[in-house]
Amino acid sequence: MLAIVLMGSYARGDARRYCDIDIVCFQDRVLQEPSALIEIIDGKYLVRSFFSTEEVQDWFVQPEKAVQYICGLRFGQLIVTLA
């Protein structure tokens, strides 16, 4: 694991009562884990997504992925760096 980042409405500061909490885990290689895990903690949905550095590099060279992911990175808040 390289870093854990808070994303979405909680990172932007506009979360409402029923918003989920989006956590993205960046790792140095693709693991056998599912790409996302969803669980309920304290009445809130917690969505944990996992991306490898290889996948993140694709965001910057494949337009369809850039549109899907890069805008969200603007508001991401680093929680911890592990590398």
Side-chain angles (χ1 to χ4, degrees), residues 38-74:
I38 302 171
E39 58 188 307
I40 299 174
I41 297 178
D42 229 10
K44 297 268 185 201
Y45 280 100
L46 174 64
V47 180
R48 285 181 286 164
S49 302
F50 301 86
F51 293 100
S52 68
T53 53
E54 195 173 292
E55 291 170 299
V56 172
Q57 288 173 353
D58 287 345
W59 299 352
F60 295 91
V61 294
Q62 297 180 15
E64 67 280 1
K65 290 188 178 183
V67 170
Q68 185 176 1
Y69 295 108
I70 292 178
C71 291
L73 290 176
R74 239 178 45 183

Side-chain angles (χ1 to χ4, degrees), residues 6-61:
L6 177 66
M7 304 289 284
S9 58
Y10 277 90
R12 291 188 307 269
D14 60 7
R16 304 270 191 259
R17 182 176 183 183
Y18 296 109
C19 288
D20 63 347
I21 301 167
D22 299 295
I23 301 291
V24 177
C25 302
F26 292 99
Q27 50 202 29
D28 54 355
R29 58 185 160 76
V30 177
L31 299 177
Q32 298 301 321
E33 302 169 357
S35 60
L37 298 172
I38 302 171
E39 58 188 307
I40 299 174
I41 297 178
D42 229 10
K44 297 268 185 201
Y45 280 100
L46 174 64
V47 180
R48 285 181 286 164
S49 302
F50 301 86
F51 293 100
S52 68
T53 53
E54 195 173 292
E55 291 170 299
V56 172
Q57 288 173 353
D58 287 345
W59 299 352
F60 295 91
V61 294

